[in-house]
Structure formats: C-alpha cells, structure tokens
Amino acid sequence: MNTRRDFLQLLAASAITLPLAPLSGLANEVKIIEENYDGPVLRVAIMGLGGYGTRVADAMRDCKKAKLVGVISGTPSKITNWQSKYGIPEKNCYNYESFDAIKNNPDIDAVYITTPNGLHHDQAIRVAKAGKHVICEKPMALNAKEGQEMVDACKKAGVKLLVGYRMHFEPKTLEIIRMRKAGEFGKIMFFQGLCGFNIGDPKQWRLNKQLAGGGSLMDIGIYAINGSRYMVGEEPVWVTAQETKTQPERFAEGVDETIQFQFGFPGGAVASCLSTYAMNNLDRFFLNGEKGFAELQPSTGYGPIKGRTNKGELTHPHVTHQTVQMEEFSDIILNGKVPVVPVDGEEGVKDLKIIDAIYLAAKTGKKVALKLG
Ligand code: NAD
C-alpha cells in the first residue's frame, strides 16, 4: 500500500464496507488492486470445478494481473456452464485424460489445481511436465514425500509451484506479522490455534482417506500448523499430539475427527492447537509475547477477519482473499516478487512434514523431533 489513492482503489475494488481507516496502521505488504494496471497478466486454467474452484473463479473477476482463461474438468456440463459464465474459449477446455495437451497451448500460463487432496500430486506433476506453472490448493499433497516429489518435478520442468495459502496476504494477519517482526510483542512465548467445524455429508471425499489423506488435520488443522509458523516466526523442533474420536461410525480408521497437537520452537515458545471435524465456532489464533498479544477471531475463514492486539482493534479493510492472492501469485510468477510469508512448494512441504509428525506422535504417544531447516 503506497498511497491513499491506492488504498481507495483497493476499497473500491474489494467492496469494502468498513469506514475509512487511518492509513498509519496499514501494513506495507497489503496488496493493491491496481485499477489502471497494464502490465503482464497471468493466464490461468482451473482444474476441478467444485466449490473452491468456483470461489477462485468468481474472485478472479476483480483481478487485474490474473485472468481465468481455461478449465479442466471431468464433467462436460460443468465445462459448458463455465464457458458461458466466464467466457472461456473451447480451445482452452480439457478433461482429466486430455490435459497433458495443454503443453501445446500458448494461451495458458498456469494451472490452479482445486481437486481433492489425493489427486494433487499426480496432477501437479503432469502440469509441470506440460511446462505450465502449478498453483495447488492446500494441503499440497498427502504427505511430505509426495510434496517433495512435486517440488522436484516443478524444479526439473523449470516452472513455479505455489500453494493456495490465502491468509499470507490477509491485511490483519500481515499487520500482526509486521508487529511481531518489529518486536512490538516482545519475545514470543505462546501461540494457540483452534480450527474446526462440524463436517456434514458422510459420503463426501473429505471423509475418504484415499482422497483426503486423513481427516480434519489435512483440511482445517493445517491452518493452525501454518499459522503457528508465521505467527511465531520460527519452525517447530518438536511435536506431540493426541487424537480423540467420539463418533467412530462417522470417522473411519485414518480419518481423524479431533486432534490436539503441541509444538516447541527453538526460541522457547510453545504452541497448543486443536483441529476438529466435530465442533463449530472454532476459528481462533492467539499469540502472546512478553510485551503484548494478538488475537484473531475469526482467524482463517473467508472474512471479514477480526482482530485486536494489546494496542487496540485492528481496523484494516476486508479484502476478498482469493482476489488478492491471485494478484500476488501473478506478481510472484511473472515478476519474481518475494512475498512476506512464502507460498512456494517448499513452504507446503514443511507443513506436510509437520502433519506427518503429528500423525506419528498421535499414533505412538511419543514426542517427535522435527528438522525443517
Ligand atoms: P469440492 O468437492 O467442492 O470440489 C472438488 C472438485 O474436484 C469437484 O468439482 C469434483 O468434481 C472434482 N473431482 C475430480 N476428480 C474427483 C474425484 N476423483 N473425486 C471427487 N471429486 C473429484 O471440494 P473443494 O472444497 O472445492 O476442495 C478442493 C480443494 O480445495 C481441496 O484440496 C481443499 O482442501 C481445497 N480448499 C481450499 C480452501 C481454501 O480456503 N484455500 C477452501 C476450500 C477447499
């Protein structure tokens, strides 16, 4: 955010409803929607036209630096609908068998994978082999080994790999990170992350071990894992975890209902987190340092995110997370911009190493050491 004019443009582009906030509190990193932008545009195809793919497509309507130009789907009727809804030409439509041919399509720069978790690994590697940049939803894969294979494949193909960590561009989140880096909370001692909701339909892929890779931890608990890292500003060196299952008929073997987990950080801070598919109203981050605290609730939903610190309420404007994320992803891919919090494949693999460790700790009851480097 450079000028008040940029700020007003952001307000206009994001349908922000808050009164004009004083500019002094705005983090420099907040993304500007540059109304008069005429630079390069990232041309994106979305793979998997479900709930989240649709949300991203709708949010991209407001993007200036990224444009939805193609689709990959196994359902012909969805392709037709999306073609008319988003103006997608026939030559940019593929299915899961044909999409390797995207290699010969000069009008697509990147593929955004929004399919179930268990499909990300193979699909991302095929996209990389087709020479296109990969944007992949979280969790990027089912485990760290798979994630690393995706990173290696993208490196080999010379394409970028980004993970859909939308909170990394959220203004209140960025402000807390700025304050923590500036020492405004003092030495960080504690983080709490509570993430959960009551999962519905028992037949959905999120409750299928093969497609989901686990249960709540893969889907929603990953926000507390990732959040603890960017809030504390260090990588955890140990993990402990405990799993509880109150409804075994709903949650099969390997599909976690509720997991509590704890991290230790090299500087002495500890984190205490809970991930669940059995409770609503759990969306809270709390960071405590020797001089101050920060609190976000809701902390990772689509917003508006609400937050306060020991210095008062955070009044940063609500932005549509997916619009800002795609503007930033375009800058990262096309212009080599370095984000405040990484969103690359290596960042995704770190979360997967922690997930592997949490499942191991819950299974063995032992403290698991971590080396994330
Ligand atoms: P969804 O079920 O709404 O959509 C999944 C899409 O994949 C559907 O269109 C479905 O037809 C398609 N698909 C292709 N092959 C499939 C198969 N073998 N089985 C089932 N579906 C198949 O799911 P969603 O909520 O859109 O989630 C998709 C991905 O996006 C997941 O990785 C999820 O974790 C992620 N996600 C991220 C966020 C976020 O805020 N970043 C939010 C929601 C979902």
Side-chain angles (χ1 to χ4, degrees), residues 47-55 73-75 78 96 112-117 119-120 123 137-139 164-166 205-206 211 218-219 223 300 302 322 325:
M47 180 187 299
L49 312 182
Y52 199 65
T54 304
R55 186 174 286 274
S73 169
T75 314
K78 278 194 203 166
Y96 293 111
Y112 195 152
I113 300 172
T114 59
T115 54
N117 312 340
L119 308 177
H120 294 175
Q123 290 169 341
E137 255 320 308
K138 46 55 58 180
Y165 288 124
R166 62 187 161 75
W205 67 260
R206 281 183 167 79
L211 285 172
M218 301 299 291
D219 189 36
Y223 285 97
T300 65
Y302 297 137
Q322 295 79 11
Q325 175 197 287

Side-chain angles (χ1 to χ4, degrees), residues 265-341:
F265 294 89
V270 288
S272 174
C273 303
L274 184 120
S275 166
T276 184
Y277 266 163
M279 273 178 264
N280 282 331
N281 309 312
L282 277 187
D283 184 3
R284 180 170 194 268
F285 282 4
F286 178 72
L287 182 72
N288 207 23
E290 284 181 341
K291 289 200 306 201
F293 72 88
E295 181 175 61
L296 291 172
Q297 184 173 8
S299 56
T300 65
Y302 297 137
I305 301 301
K306 285 192 183 147
R308 67 186 180 112
T309 72
N310 51 295
K311 295 186 173 164
E313 196 178 334
L314 296 172
T315 55
H316 305 64
H318 171 62
V319 293
T320 301
H321 299 174
Q322 295 79 11
T323 307
V324 179
Q325 175 197 287
M326 293 312 292
E327 291 290 85
E328 288 285 325
F329 278 12
S330 172
D331 259 344
I332 293 166
I333 290 175
L334 299 178
N335 303 322
K337 184 172 178 182
V338 178
V340 176
V341 187

Side-chain angles (χ1 to χ4, degrees), residues 123-143:
Q123 290 169 341
I125 290 174
R126 281 173 67 187
V127 169
K129 282 187 178 159
K132 303 297 177 183
H133 300 294
V134 180
I135 301 172
C136 184
E137 255 320 308
K138 46 55 58 180
M140 70 186 278
L142 300 189
N143 52 54

Side-chain angles (χ1 to χ4, degrees), residues 1-19:
M1 186 75 50
N2 295 322
T3 65
R4 188 162 188 93
R5 200 180 111 258
D6 294 333
F7 175 60
L8 292 172
Q9 283 172 347
L10 174 65
L11 278 177
S14 308
I16 292 158
T17 53
L18 289 173

Side-chain angles (χ1 to χ4, degrees), residues 139-276:
M140 70 186 278
L142 300 189
N143 52 54
K145 180 178 172 287
E146 276 195 357
Q148 190 57 50
E149 286 168 3
M150 291 160 68
V151 168
D152 295 343
C154 289
K155 233 174 232 161
K156 193 170 166 201
V159 297
K160 292 202 171 137
L161 168 58
L162 304 185
V163 184
Y165 288 124
R166 62 187 161 75
M167 300 316 295
H168 293 199
F169 309 105
E170 194 282 318
K172 294 183 183 82
T173 303
L174 285 172
E175 174 61 2
I176 294 172
I177 292 169
R178 186 200 66 71
M179 290 176 74
R180 187 254 300 151
K181 282 184 177 168
E184 294 183 34
F185 305 127
K187 182 174 155 58
I188 299 298
M189 299 301 293
F190 178 67
F191 173 80
Q192 183 192 45
L194 307 177
C195 297
F197 62 95
N198 218 327
I199 190 108
D201 179 9
K203 293 205 183 73
Q204 63 187 290
W205 67 260
R206 281 183 167 79
L207 297 174
N208 172 325
K209 164 93 172 144
Q210 230 183 337
L211 285 172
S216 76
L217 190 66
M218 301 299 291
D219 189 36
I220 191 80
I222 191 170
Y223 285 97
I225 295 168
N226 192 249
S228 72
R229 296 174 48 231
Y230 62 67
M231 285 286 168
V232 173
E234 296 178 20
E235 301 297 358
V237 288
W238 58 256
V239 172
T240 50
Q242 309 80 36
E243 182 178 357
T244 51
K245 201 170 273 193
T246 62
Q247 303 169 62
E249 69 289 354
R250 254 178 110 195
F251 302 98
E253 180 67 30
V255 179
D256 51 283
E257 173 196 304
T258 302
I259 292 199
Q260 294 188 74
F261 50 94
Q262 301 80 33
F263 299 148
F265 294 89
V270 288
S272 174
C273 303
L274 184 120
S275 166
T276 184

